[in-house]
Amino acid sequence: MEFVTYEQEGFIGVVTINRPKALNALNTEVLELLNKVVDAVDLEKTRALILTGAGAKSFVAGADISEMSLLSKAEGENFGKIGNDVFRKIETFPIPVIAAVNGFALGGGCELSLSCDIRICSENALFGQPEVGLGITPGFGGTQRLARVVGIGKAKEMIYTASNIKAEEAYRIGLVNKVCSADELLDEAKKIAKKIVRNAPIAVRASKKAINDGISLDMDNAIVIEEKLFGSCFETEDQKNGMKAFLEKRKVEGFTNK
């Protein structure tokens, strides 16, 4: 069985963690396959990615404890680096990535969703960072991204208490953008993706880069990043065609990614 699968639907790519018997838990093999799948995405043909898990029970239930239980200090650090490298690649991927979270998103699963730009979840979704109950810390970016998304106080509460939260609470604190039924989840993710791919791809990518690069800077330096990316759009055919269509009171026939 291929533990990570990829499907192309027009301008949308769908990546699925496909290890349902293990609740899509992340071991070294799955992380390496995920890395290869992301590297293989054709950015000329793909303008948005959806990341989800196989089956109805779990997005990703966490990192594989059976593998982690045997690790030494050095091996544990290396395992954390493997996960962090892949998740950082997703976080900084040029095009938007949407997490469609079905069921459990615990530990590494919560951290994987946090590396995505937009998160939507099913009504039965469950989020949490249970690592301290196992004698470890979150190791794939959870101590860093969770606080940036939901605030330091809530992140510390979730991590220190190893408490899980349900879908509605995840929505309330801003961890997810939307909650829907399990049957509608993938379709809802595709609806968002389709709205994204209708827009100028270069501008969407520049917007993602501006947000990601500027978020950790002070405002004076952050707006310089925005100015440069804003200016770079004026070299594109899409900008010229988009503004011409607006002035002529018509819709753009289709952005060309040039």
Side-chain angles (χ1 to χ4, degrees), residues 232-247:
S232 71
C233 293
F234 288 83
E235 296 180 324
T236 68
E237 292 180 14
D238 283 345
Q239 174 267 330
K240 292 174 176 59
N241 292 335
M243 291 191 175
K244 182 180 180 182
F246 178 85
L247 293 171

Side-chain angles (χ1 to χ4, degrees), residues 2-9 12-19 24 26 30-31 33-42 46 48-54 58-60 86 90 93 95-102 112 116 186 189-190:
E2 194 69 49
F3 288 145
V4 182
T5 64
Y6 183 81
E7 296 176 82
Q8 189 78 35
E9 299 184 17
I12 302 167
V14 181
V15 179
T16 304
I17 308 299
N18 187 35
R19 200 185 173 207
N24 302 321
L26 302 171
V30 173
L31 290 169
L33 285 170
L34 179 58
N35 188 58
K36 289 179 181 178
V37 167
V38 172
D39 279 345
V41 173
D42 186 342
T46 313
L49 278 185
I50 296 170
L51 182 57
T52 193
S58 183
F59 172 67
V60 168
V86 179
I90 292 168
F93 203 59
I95 61 176
V97 184
I98 302 165
V101 179
N102 46 311
L112 178 57
C116 298
L186 199 54
K190 289 177 182 178

Side-chain angles (χ1 to χ4, degrees), residues 174-249:
L175 181 54
V176 299
N177 299 68
K178 186 173 186 177
V179 180
C180 56
S181 71
D183 292 339
E184 297 172 331
L185 180 63
L186 199 54
D187 285 340
E188 286 296 321
K190 289 177 182 178
K191 283 181 184 178
I192 296 172
K194 286 175 182 176
K195 289 181 179 179
I196 291 170
V197 303
R198 284 201 297 263
N199 296 311
I202 294 170
V204 171
R205 294 187 196 187
S207 296
K208 175 171 180 173
K209 184 170 177 57
I211 294 168
N212 282 357
D213 291 357
I215 195 69
S216 61
L217 302 178
D218 63 86
M219 187 58 70
D220 288 334
N221 286 304
I223 58 176
V224 172
I225 290 173
E226 182 179 281
E227 289 165 5
K228 292 185 180 301
L229 288 163
F230 172 69
S232 71
C233 293
F234 288 83
E235 296 180 324
T236 68
E237 292 180 14
D238 283 345
Q239 174 267 330
K240 292 174 176 59
N241 292 335
M243 291 191 175
K244 182 180 180 182
F246 178 85
L247 293 171
E248 294 175 354
K249 295 182 171 55

Side-chain angles (χ1 to χ4, degrees), residues 86-187:
V86 179
F87 290 10
R88 182 64 174 154
K89 180 175 290 185
I90 292 168
E91 184 174 39
T92 60
F93 203 59
I95 61 176
V97 184
I98 302 165
V101 179
N102 46 311
F104 298 123
L106 305 175
C110 187
E111 290 167 310
L112 178 57
S113 76
L114 287 165
S115 72
C116 298
D117 296 281
I118 297 169
R119 288 163 292 283
I120 66 171
C121 74
S122 57
E123 294 168 332
N124 68 327
L126 196 68
F127 295 85
Q129 299 290 163
E131 288 88 350
V132 297
L134 300 171
I136 58 175
T137 69
F140 294 164
T143 60
Q144 305 306 310
R145 292 191 183 95
L146 187 60
R148 287 166 166 79
V149 172
V150 304
I152 293 174
K154 190 63 181 178
K156 286 181 174 179
E157 177 188 344
M158 288 177 63
I159 291 170
Y160 296 172
T161 64
S163 298
N164 298 331
I165 60 172
K166 295 181 180 180
E168 289 301 328
E169 174 70 0
Y171 177 74
R172 188 188 70 81
I173 66 174
L175 181 54
V176 299
N177 299 68
K178 186 173 186 177
V179 180
C180 56
S181 71
D183 292 339
E184 297 172 331
L185 180 63
L186 199 54
D187 285 340

